Amino acid sequence: MRIMLHACCGPCLLEPWDALSADHEVRVAYANPNIHPLAEYERRRDTLLGWAASQGIEVDELAYEPESWDRAVAGLEDRPGERCRACFRLRLGLAAAHAAELGYDAVATTLTVSPWQDPDAIREAGARACAEHGVEFLVTDFRERYPEATRRSRELGMYRQNYCGCRYSDEESRQQRERRRAERAARRA
Ligand code: SF4
């Protein structure tokens, strides 16, 4: 099978690449207009490209159009569950269109490495996006490989981001870290 693998970042690519490329022809699509700001987008992309180049892996960087992401999540900014579904749909739709254009059979995504992403939402968004472009959505669940992905990415010295990608998740993560700090301080007092 010829698979277009949507990749969100370098650390999350490591394990899905190994799992899928063992039995399939795989090409990688970096399709992430959700990432904010541009410097962060570039840092994640360059981390991914650096590792891919070291392995001889082909990566297609799709157009970075954050305004398309703004349109996709309009009205859902304060509803993380629905916002993430719309975000998955957009990114997997971009990968699916690219797969169809290049004659690939299916799309898979590295998003299912993360234990913080909703696998049902990814599956639903991927299936709908792929149906629109006449390609198959390959359902995967790489969460059990997350510890190994973490270990390998640390060992490789890869940049590891501390928020999902969009400006809302940046703020949500920052607030979460502050809450944890305050809880730890309260426990020590
Ligand atoms: S939190 Fe992550 S998946 Fe959800 S909308 Fe933001 S970037 Fe997309």
Side-chain angles (χ1 to χ4, degrees), residues 51-166:
W51 180 74
S54 74
Q55 306 297 308
I57 297 169
E58 274 189 287
V59 179
D60 297 326
E61 179 186 7
L62 305 194
Y64 177 60
E65 292 170 344
E67 57 286 353
S68 68
W69 185 84
D70 286 332
R71 281 195 299 276
V73 304
L76 306 172
E77 293 87 346
D78 298 328
R79 307 211 295 265
E82 291 174 63
R83 185 187 73 212
C84 295
R85 280 176 191 268
C87 177
F88 297 149
R89 182 89 189 271
L90 174 68
R91 295 150 79 192
L92 295 174
L94 292 170
H98 189 58
E101 197 181 322
L102 297 191
Y104 276 63
D105 308 302
V107 168
T109 179
T110 63
L111 290 167
T112 61
V113 172
S114 170
W116 291 282
Q117 305 286 13
D118 177 350
D120 293 333
I122 294 169
R123 184 168 56 241
E124 188 188 304
R128 290 176 68 183
C130 285
E132 279 172 14
H133 295 283
V135 292
E136 183 183 333
F137 182 63
L138 196 65
V139 177
T140 57
D141 186 346
F142 295 117
R143 285 175 295 176
E144 67 178 25
R145 289 172 172 255
Y146 180 74
E148 181 61 5
T150 303
R151 189 197 65 73
R152 286 177 69 192
S153 55
R154 284 200 176 120
E155 191 175 276
L156 289 162
M158 281 178 153
Y159 166 60
R160 297 174 45 79
Q161 62 271 8
N162 63 5
Y163 67 102
C164 185
C166 64

Side-chain angles (χ1 to χ4, degrees), residues 172 174-185:
E172 287 156 5
R174 195 186 57 73
Q175 288 175 5
Q176 209 170 49
R177 287 194 298 275
E178 273 175 14
R179 268 199 305 277
R180 285 202 204 106
R181 258 197 301 275
E183 282 165 13
R184 279 199 300 274

Side-chain angles (χ1 to χ4, degrees), residues 30-43:
Y30 186 69
N32 301 296
N34 55 311
I35 300 174
H36 176 88
L38 172 63
E40 176 73 18
Y41 170 87
E42 291 174 337
R43 192 172 185 191

